[in-house]
Amino acid sequence: MISQSLHDLWFGFGVAFQLHNLMWSFFGVLVGNLIGVLPGMGALSAISILLPLTYVMQPVPAILMLAGIFYGSQYGGAIGAILLNLPSHPPHAVTCLDGYPLTRQGKGGTALGITMICSFFAASVGIIVMIFASPLLVEIAFKFGPTEIFSIMLLGLLAGATMSRGSPLKGVAMTLFGLLCGCVGTDVNTGTIRFSFGLIDLSDGLELVAISMGLFGVADFLMSANRMAAISTNTKLRVRDMRPSKAEMKEAFLPMVRGTLVGTLFGAMPGTGPTITTFVSYALERKISRTPEKFGTGMIAGVASPEASSHSKTQVDFIPTMSLGIPGDAVMALILGALLIQGIQPGPQLITEHPDIFWGLIASFWIGNLLLMVLNVPLIGVWVKLLQVPYRYLFPSALFFIAVGVYSTQNSLFQIWEVLAFGVIGAILMWLEFSVAPILLGFVLGPMVEENFRRALLLSRGDMMIFLDRPISAWFVGASFLLIALQIGAHVRRVLRRRKDAQVVQPA
């Protein structure tokens, strides 16, 4: 079995190293990396723009190019999130929480270096999983029905609601606000338009890119509108600043491993997008950390774990897409469409009927990730030089790119107004010391939680015990109740400590 897989992988490298395939893979990585840096222009926009190009291409270079855009934009999105607090791809919203504070401390190069190392490590693990564990992961994926998916997303919501700094109640409130935003639009079960206030533009719901750009990009700009200096005048432009110290690598190693495992697990589950993966990995690191209060102030673990989970999921996402024909998110749906355009039907027979595509794609992952490392080392000076731009120039320029990027997703001016509205809302919430990250998590998971909850109740004819009768679902429900109990216990201890401290300082 192993020897056959290695033989097939060797065949895949032969396909990927063919000159025209290698050039298209490099083109995809380059375009994805550059577009990923631009606010609002993530992998979805890039692949949508270049998808017509695949009509006149051979199947192998077409898929290699689209895959290169996908994981190239992952690293490009991390650059914008770390240096400018602009998540061009929603999963990188979590990276903003600690990546941008590191930049403000003059450690932007270190954060990018750790991101590069974590991305390559996680991608390599994801590739190995694709090679040897695809049949097992596909079997596990079949065990996740609407009941199990609802339970795991419930746990993700609770973990995300309590991951923010400050009061957990504020985190829960922001998550509920995100869930409410996710209810806007047409109900998939009844076809009823909800919470649209008579606006036809809201019939399809709020736009994820607009919300993430508003809450993280525009809100930060509004909070810092009077700042005239550059973001960080202490940031150095040397390539060696990307090399983390031994202490920093030691701090990042275990979060990198845990994030990789989280991304691998979620990558095998069809229908779970990359955003929940990064939020869950960040929440996990914050829960097990000895200093959870420092998250959001520039913790290396807060960058290493989400980025590792994002890249491992990016690779493993191809398993349900190629083997089952079930895309994990909108980007995977586009790549699935590209396969169908080429007359290739994804499914269990893809490996045997089109080995050049499957094994060439796997080999190109390693080649593409190496190209990313080589490409970004000389470009680090360009990325970090963005920090030397005075804020009075950077502010309007970034807003312009945000407007162009958001408009390009659906050619709608209404979405630009969405960005502005959520930018103002985000600025007000930040001024009131509310964390805005749980809003995005609630918005992403809300529709999927509702849909799977209703499907599960339809299957059980309204019997709520279905969530406890199925073992996998029961385990996640139990973990959710345990998390609630831990939060209540922590709150009670804080209240008792405050009363004790008040009694100590009270004069006799």
Side-chain angles (χ1 to χ4, degrees), residues 167-169 485-496 498:
S167 170
L169 288 177
L486 291 174
Q487 288 299 322
I488 294 175
H491 179 69
V492 170
R493 287 195 299 271
R494 282 194 296 268
V495 171
L496 293 177
R498 288 172 186 169

Side-chain angles (χ1 to χ4, degrees), residues 40-298:
M41 297 287 287
L44 191 60
S45 301
I47 293 178
S48 299
I49 294 170
L50 292 177
L51 188 61
L53 182 62
T54 63
Y55 298 170
V56 295
M57 295 174 62
Q58 294 297 317
V60 174
I63 301 304
L64 296 192
M65 180 191 72
L66 295 181
I69 294 173
F70 187 24
Y71 54 81
S73 66
Q74 294 287 315
Y75 187 75
I79 294 172
I82 291 171
L83 298 186
L84 298 174
N85 200 35
L86 291 174
S88 63
H89 197 41
H92 295 297
V94 180
T95 309
C96 294
L97 299 180
D98 284 281
Y100 188 61
L102 284 170
T103 298
R104 300 290 298 272
Q105 298 167 17
K107 297 180 180 179
T110 301
L112 289 177
I114 289 175
T115 297
M116 183 181 297
I117 294 170
C118 291
S119 65
F120 185 77
F121 172 82
S124 298
V125 172
I127 296 167
I128 294 172
V129 169
M130 280 193 69
I131 296 171
F132 298 108
S134 292
L136 176 62
L137 290 174
V138 170
E139 184 178 343
I140 293 175
F142 274 124
K143 296 182 182 297
F144 278 78
T147 308
E148 289 77 14
I149 293 177
F150 166 78
S151 301
I152 192 173
M153 289 185 176
L154 175 65
L155 178 61
L157 278 174
L158 290 172
T162 57
M163 77 176 183
S164 57
R165 297 169 57 203
S167 170
L169 288 177
K170 288 185 176 181
V172 172
M174 292 298 94
T175 304
L176 291 175
F177 178 63
L179 289 171
L180 183 62
C181 292
C183 292
V184 176
T186 304
D187 179 14
V188 294
N189 290 330
T190 65
T192 304
I193 298 179
R194 307 178 296 184
F195 305 110
S196 66
F197 302 100
L199 298 173
I200 192 64
D201 295 283
L202 290 178
S203 60
D204 290 333
L206 297 168
E207 180 63 34
L208 179 60
V209 175
I211 292 178
S212 61
M213 287 288 100
L215 291 177
F216 289 91
V218 177
D220 181 73
F221 284 136
L222 293 177
M223 292 290 290
S224 309
N226 292 326
R227 188 173 68 210
M228 290 293 104
I231 293 177
S232 175
T233 56
N234 297 323
T235 304
K236 301 176 182 179
L237 302 178
R238 297 169 299 182
V239 173
R240 65 185 180 189
D241 292 322
M242 287 183 64
R243 188 171 61 231
S245 65
K246 290 183 179 180
E248 290 168 336
M249 276 307 304
K250 184 178 179 181
E251 184 180 350
F253 179 74
L254 288 179
M256 175 179 68
V257 173
R258 287 189 289 263
T260 301
L261 294 177
V262 170
T264 301
L265 174 64
F266 278 87
M269 301 178 192
T272 57
T275 305
I276 178 178
T277 309
T278 55
F279 273 89
V280 169
S281 61
Y282 186 90
L284 175 64
E285 290 304 316
R286 191 173 184 273
K287 289 299 177 186
I288 65 178
S289 174
R290 296 180 180 178
T291 56
E293 69 280 355
K294 292 185 178 180
F295 276 76
T297 62

